[in-house]
Amino acid sequence: MAETYVTTAYERLQIAHLRWRKRLQKWISRSREKVSFVLIPNDEKPLAQIEISVGMLGFLFGLSLSLVLLSFGLLLYFSFFFERNLSLEKKTETQLVSFLFYDLLSKDLRESVEELESMTESLNLLAWEEIPEKEMITQDYLLKEEFRKDASELDSNLLLFQQVVTTYTQFGVRLGNLVPNFQNAIDYLSMRESIFYSMPRGRPLKPGVGVVTSTFGYRSDPFGILPVGEYHSGIDFAAGEGTPIYATGPGIIAVDTAVGGLGKSVRINHENGFFTLYGHCSQILVNPGDRVKRGDKIALVGQTGKATGAHVHYEVRIGLDAPLDPEEYINLD
């Protein structure tokens, strides 16, 4: 009886390996075969031939088929199976609106900061005639205290966003409070500046011209008529007849220029209730209603009216109040 040979598992594995190896070599051999594509142009140009291996052609076909199937699967999924997350979309829209709001707010704050810096510079120049270095209140100054925190405190981007929004809101509130304060300060100093420049200042004669012969207050009667003396309501500057007299502040020439024993006189109505008188003039160079500036020539020194010599009598008054000592306003210069 003949013996039957039985293959072992190892031998069967080797046989299968050889078969698959042979098939793979055969497939590789076939994949290396070239396929030619001929392109025929419409004009008389020569034909174009493209050669591509069968393996590459199969790879490209498989890739294209995979992309088509994937696109078709995605289309089916989004058309029939995908469910929109409305809460997430609403939250996203809310965050978008919030970011847009803070973007607009940042533009407004930047404009406010620039305006505030300009106003601060004007305030410093107006008040102290200089700009102190590194003392202007700016955005850097307001924010540097807000972000002095360890990075470990920010556990997530959400906390970072909340911190930025909180700081931004506080900065906007503080800046909003600063703007009217600075505006009020500027308005106040501007008003004081306006009052100062509208006030009579300096002498009615040029510097170095004329001598003070009588001051403000009680004095003996220069004519010897009143034994108890008299109250002198201004300052007298003696000068040669015809010496120019100048306005000590801007204003309007009053209609009535005749004031008692002052002879030919000029009255200038200034702003804020001030007015000045220039008496004993030999000639008046302005007319009622004329608007004059500080330093304009308004009259010439004389001795008209009750006078013992050529001089100008200078008075400073506010409304119907008693006359003021002109020396205080002369010394403002």
Side-chain angles (χ1 to χ4, degrees):
M1 184 175 181
E3 295 182 358
T4 303
Y5 180 76
V6 180
T7 58
T8 62
Y10 176 73
E11 289 174 338
R12 289 195 299 271
L13 183 61
Q14 282 187 327
I15 293 172
H17 172 69
L18 291 174
R19 288 177 179 174
W20 280 107
R21 182 177 178 183
K22 186 177 181 180
R23 291 176 182 175
L24 179 63
Q25 289 177 349
K26 186 178 180 180
W27 183 85
I28 292 174
S29 177
R30 288 183 178 179
S31 65
R32 289 178 177 174
E33 295 178 359
K34 302 290 185 178
V35 177
S36 299
F37 294 93
V38 178
L39 302 179
I40 304 176
N42 292 329
D43 51 13
E44 297 180 356
K45 292 183 179 180
L47 301 178
Q49 182 176 355
I50 301 176
E51 291 186 355
I52 186 171
S53 65
V54 175
M56 179 59 67
L57 186 62
F59 172 76
L60 294 176
F61 176 77
L63 180 62
S64 302
L65 181 61
S66 299
L67 292 176
V68 171
L69 292 176
L70 179 61
S71 301
F72 183 72
L74 291 174
L75 179 62
L76 291 177
Y77 173 74
F78 283 106
S79 299
F80 301 101
F81 303 101
F82 176 75
E83 294 183 359
R84 297 171 57 186
N85 191 336
L86 297 179
S87 61
L88 181 60
E89 291 181 2
K90 184 176 181 180
K91 183 177 180 180
T92 303
E93 291 177 357
T94 303
Q95 291 180 349
L96 178 60
V97 172
S98 178
F99 275 112
L100 291 176
F101 168 75
Y102 282 104
D103 180 63
L104 294 175
L105 183 60
S106 67
K107 295 178 181 179
D108 293 338
L109 288 177
R110 182 168 56 251
E111 294 176 358
S112 298
V113 168
E114 294 174 355
E115 182 180 0
L116 183 59
E117 288 177 346
S118 177
M119 293 167 61
T120 305
E121 181 177 349
S122 301
L123 182 64
N124 281 275
L125 290 174
L126 188 60
W128 301 288
E129 298 184 355
E130 63 179 356
I131 303 177
E133 292 292 332
K134 300 180 180 180
E135 291 186 4
M136 291 182 62
I137 299 178
T138 62
Q139 183 177 3
D140 295 335
Y141 174 81
L142 290 173
L143 288 180
K144 66 181 181 181
E145 297 293 337
E146 298 293 339
F147 285 102
R148 287 182 178 176
K149 295 185 177 181
D150 296 334
S152 59
E153 296 182 15
L154 303 176
D155 297 330
S156 66
N157 290 337
L158 180 59
L159 291 179
L160 176 61
F161 171 74
Q162 292 175 348
Q163 174 67 21
V164 171
V165 171
T166 300
T167 302
Y168 214 85
T169 304
Q170 293 175 353
F171 171 56
V173 172
R174 293 175 62 181
L175 182 60
N177 292 333
L178 281 173
V179 170
N181 291 336
F182 273 87
Q183 185 63 54
N184 290 338
I186 289 180
D187 292 342
Y188 172 71
L189 290 179
S190 298
M191 180 183 65
R192 291 195 61 181
E193 180 187 35
S194 175
I195 293 174
F196 177 77
Y197 285 110
S198 66
M199 290 169 54
R201 294 177 290 119
R203 307 166 79 250
L205 304 179
K206 282 188 175 182
V209 177
V211 178
V212 176
T213 55
S214 183
T215 58
F216 178 82
Y218 284 96
R219 67 175 184 177
S220 59
D221 186 1
F223 294 93
I225 299 175
L226 301 175
V228 295
E230 66 174 357
Y231 182 79
H232 190 227
S233 58
I235 293 180
D236 291 343
F237 293 89
E241 189 162 346
T243 302
I245 301 172
Y246 301 93
T248 57
I252 300 176
I253 305 299
V255 175
D256 184 11
T257 57
V259 183
L262 294 180
K264 292 182 179 180
S265 60
V266 177
R267 169 175 168 166
I268 302 178
N269 292 332
H270 308 281
E271 293 182 4
N272 304 302
F274 284 94
F275 69 88
T276 50
L277 291 174
Y278 310 79
H280 308 300
C281 304
S282 62
Q283 184 179 354
I284 297 176
L285 306 178
V286 290
N287 298 311
D290 289 348
R291 184 176 294 275
V292 296
K293 303 185 298 296
R294 181 171 182 254
D296 286 351
K297 186 188 297 186
I298 58 174
L300 302 178
V301 172
Q303 49 182 338
T304 58
K306 186 180 177 182
T308 58
H311 71 283
V312 56
H313 172 85
Y314 177 59
E315 287 188 23
V316 177
R317 294 175 179 258
I318 299 179
L320 300 177
D321 295 342
L324 305 172
D325 187 353
E327 185 177 359
E328 297 180 5
Y329 297 90
I330 292 174
N331 293 333
L332 287 178
D333 276 352

